[in-house]
Amino acid sequence: MATSDSSPVRLLYDVRVRAVLYQVVAVALVVGIGLYLFGTVSRKLAAQNIATGFDYLSRPAGFVISQSFISYDSGNTYGRAILVGLLNTIWVSVFAVILSSVLGLAVGIARLSRNPLLSTLALVYVEALRNVPLLLYLFLWYALIVAVFPPVREAWQILPDVFLSNGGLIVPSLRWSSAHTGVLAGVVLGIVLACLVASSFRRKRVATGQSRMAWPYVLAALVVPVLLAMLIFQPEMAVNWPEKGRFRITGGLQVTPEFTALLVGLGLSASAGIAEIVRAGILSVGRGQWEAARAVGLHDRQTMRLVVLPQALRVIIPPLTSSYLSTFKNSSLAIAIGYPDLVMVSNTTMNQTGQAIEGIAIFMLVYLGMSITISMLMNWYNARVALVER
Amino acid sequence: MTDTAQLSTLASVADERPKRPASSWYALLKPYIGTPFNAVVTFACLWLIYRLVTGAWGWLVTRAIVEGGPQTCKAAAGAGACWPFLAAKLRFMIFGFFPYDEHWRPALAVLLFLGAMIYSMIPRFWSRRLLWLWLAVVVICGVLMYGGVFGLSVVSTTNWGGLPLSFMLSSVGLAFGFVLGVLLALARSSKLPAIQVIAVVFIEMVRGVPLVSILFMASVMLPLFMPDGVTIDKLLRAQVAIIIFAGAYIAETVRGGLQAVPKGQHEAAASLGLGYWLSMRKIVLPQALKIVIPPLVNIFIGFFQDTTLVTIIGLLDFLDTVRSAMRDPVWQGIAVLEGYIFAALVYAVFSYGMGSYSRFIERRLKTDHSHGRH
């Protein structure tokens, strides 16, 4: 440390100078590497005569997608094909999240059961799912579906007009019209109204300490907008009945085996993690809370709902967020069993156009954007349930 | 307990029932049929267990085909497990396209690797010598796999596959990922804003996208980034992707450990005149890493399972050799589940072993802190 005062080398021993120096070096390194990579890539692309840019998105795609929730045919553009893939990803993730939450809650509570048989079974369920890779389960479920169910020609008719085969599950569907969209809006409005009514009752209960019967009002708020929408729009109840032909079944809504295998795989594997999260959350609420709730005269269900769950949620929400996020990201394994999700459609697009960088950039940005959105939503919810320290 | 008993006289509590002598048959059965609801649950569980066990036993043993070829299995039409398939394809499933006569080499490498792993899992042997041990093991395994010296024939990486490849991808990925992760964690908790921002952007970008997309990026884009004439092995590209992915996740775990080290430790190190790197290496990191060993083991289990994803970009890891065996024209459509069930068992054994180890480590480290709960 002992250097002469006049030497410029002395400056190097100053902590502040060093801090600036390190940062300049780090930024210069990152920028340098970035520029170098950019240079190599553009030179190589120019040498291979590959056009850059996103113009290709408006060209016709020319490939079919086995499942889409908006109208799509091979004449549509690459842009629309990627949108179809994105919707497929969202669709399967949403259902998987719902499935895994319900199963996870049930198994998590079962693991805490006083019945040793039930809690052991739940433990076996969790261990069996956590110790085997998800991809292997996806292959296994897919193989099971294809092996167990009969070919389309001999499809089982499990209910009138509901067919089950290794080509998937086929159920009657409504012919969608704008009137149905109106009713759907009514349903959404009903759910929002019901939530509002329930929360206003809750606020009154907290303010006055008197508990009034809330459920008839909540139910009314839920149902009335739907009925009104039905009356106003008068939706036509035209049903798209599946018809069994010689070789295939036409019409109806088709749930493909790929979708089912992916949904079951994602849902089950996430449910094992959620079960552990729920268990840890409920265990984190001290016994004293249960005893105190009993002492003030709450019965078991009220204790759970008003005392234990609100405290358990504080522990549960952050890991639950990561669980939902990984379910969403794991849906990209769809490519392995052929469900046309975002990654698979982008992959086909890349193979056809050769525009790998744009293709990868699109789906990475989409995943990044969705991940950030989900975690922001969950963080907002977490902030609501978090302990407010006064 | 007396407190609870007194409280329960104030409120009507359904759960409190008169106590019976503890040794009676009633006390034994109470958890199973204590309440009508519990009795229903017990019988449902018993029924489920009965169905599962008889189903599995029938498929694995009584209805299984023990000897014969594909035709025998085909005639049985999937009524039971087809053991001849597993017997015929076992070596291919485990070693992939490695030359058949040279299978002793990957087998020896795997045994050596597992031995070294078990040795270094025992806390009594934790010391700096382990690094040298691992260096030796990695070199010997490399020589065994690749050959080219001591009269061993050269086996190019395109012929590597199966279980040795899975072990290699996950262990090398985790070793380098760990180094990268610790550096990233230090960068993220550093006081220098530019370095912090670089680390945050890197970590969040990698954690925000699925592993599949990073593997795709490595397999499609990495060749474009390289200067002309430089080609990178496909295996190495996948390995780079796994290292990057593991690094970002390990970084977040280690950051948690760094945050848990009390501020006083930093200050004490500074007051002794230790610089940043010295205080990190000698004081802060050892404490931080010790805290995060259990979550790190859990991350390791996850990544061991995640290496199966390299199947998607066409690498022959264990899961992929199993699938190739099932797609063999001779056996196609005959053994549709056996291979998967075998692979699931192999993964389950390793994952469960590591999981038990993680719980053991957690208990062992807990004894150091007498103020722990329980």
Side-chain angles (χ1 to χ4, degrees), chain A residues 19 23 36 40-41 43-44 114-115 130-131 133 135-136 139-140 294 329 332-333 347 356 363-364 367 371, chain B residues 11 15 38 42 192 194 207-208 210 213 216 220 223 225-228 249 305 308-309 323 340 347-348 351-352:
Chain A
Q23 296 186 62
Y36 171 74
T40 333
V41 169
R43 192 158 40 77
K44 282 205 167 179
R114 286 200 203 96
N115 187 328
R130 289 181 107 186
N131 288 320
L135 188 62
L136 207 160
F139 287 137
L140 188 62
R294 281 189 194 143
K329 283 183 280 175
S332 60
L333 295 187
N347 194 36
F363 74 61
M364 282 192 129
Y367 271 109
S371 295
Chain B
D15 258 12
N38 223 342
T42 301
L192 312 178
R207 280 164 49 94
S213 66
F216 264 119
V220 179
F225 285 146
M226 288 300 126
D228 295 318
Y249 277 81
Q305 297 185 0
T308 52
L309 264 61
R323 291 183 70 221
Y340 289 138
Y347 277 108
S351 302
Y352 187 78

Side-chain angles (χ1 to χ4, degrees), chain B residues 64-361:
Chain B
I65 316 298
V66 183
E67 49 192 30
Q71 294 313 315
T72 334
C73 285
K74 193 169 190 153
C82 174
W83 294 119
F85 165 75
L86 277 184
K89 286 288 175 185
L90 189 64
R91 279 178 73 170
F92 176 77
M93 285 184 188
I94 295 180
F95 299 119
F97 288 103
F98 210 87
Y100 195 81
D101 297 330
E102 309 275 335
H103 276 183
W104 62 271
R105 281 160 53 182
L108 193 61
V110 165
L111 285 181
L112 209 66
F113 174 81
L114 289 179
M117 194 156 146
I118 290 171
Y119 181 85
S120 47
M121 278 162 88
I122 302 170
R124 191 144 53 96
F125 300 130
W126 285 355
S127 69
R128 193 148 294 185
R129 271 179 318 189
L130 277 180
L131 279 178
W132 296 108
L133 173 81
W134 274 104
L135 199 65
V137 166
V138 165
V139 170
I140 296 173
C141 284
V143 167
L144 277 172
M145 291 297 285
Y146 192 77
V149 281
F150 307 124
L152 295 172
S153 58
V154 173
V155 180
S156 79
T157 56
T158 45
N159 284 337
W160 294 12
L163 214 46
L165 188 78
S166 288
F167 281 146
M168 198 197 89
L169 280 174
S170 46
S171 57
V172 174
L174 287 170
F176 284 87
F178 181 74
V179 175
L180 178 66
V182 169
L183 288 178
L184 279 172
L186 287 179
R188 189 166 183 170
S189 44
S190 127
K191 289 195 193 73
L192 312 178
I195 288 173
Q196 207 183 358
V197 165
I198 292 171
V200 168
V201 168
F202 181 85
I203 292 173
E204 293 304 330
M205 264 175 68
V206 174
R207 280 164 49 94
V209 297
L211 177 54
V212 174
S213 66
I214 295 180
L215 283 171
F216 264 119
M217 198 170 104
S219 76
V220 179
M221 273 166 69
L222 214 53
L224 287 176
F225 285 146
M226 288 300 126
D228 295 318
V230 178
T231 51
I232 312 181
D233 194 77
K234 197 172 172 187
L235 198 60
L236 196 59
R237 277 184 254 159
Q239 187 72 79
V240 169
I242 290 178
I243 291 171
I244 289 176
F245 199 66
Y249 277 81
I250 292 173
E252 282 302 90
T253 310
V254 173
R255 184 169 73 111
L258 286 175
Q259 283 175 354
V261 175
K263 213 176 154 198
Q265 299 286 331
H266 291 267
E267 289 163 358
S271 73
L272 286 176
L274 299 183
Y276 177 80
W277 289 107
L278 213 52
S279 76
M280 277 299 161
R281 208 161 51 105
K282 298 277 181 196
I283 313 274
V284 180
L285 267 181
Q287 298 185 52
L289 292 182
K290 190 178 159 195
I291 299 170
V292 294
I293 284 177
L296 272 182
V297 176
N298 286 336
I299 286 191
F300 289 1
I301 299 174
F303 276 96
F304 174 58
Q305 297 185 0
D306 278 347
T307 48
T308 52
L309 264 61
V310 297
T311 300
I312 291 174
I313 56 166
L315 276 180
L316 284 162
D317 77 319
F318 179 53
L319 182 56
D320 203 58
T321 49
V322 169
R323 291 183 70 221
S324 316
M326 291 163 69
R327 281 193 303 250
D328 182 337
V330 181
W331 295 95
Q332 176 123 45
I334 296 170
V336 286
L337 299 176
E338 285 81 353
Y340 289 138
I341 289 170
F342 169 66
L345 272 178
V346 171
Y347 277 108
V349 165
F350 283 113
S351 302
Y352 187 78
M354 287 202 285
S356 317
Y357 177 70
S358 142
R359 286 187 283 276
F360 157 74
I361 281 292

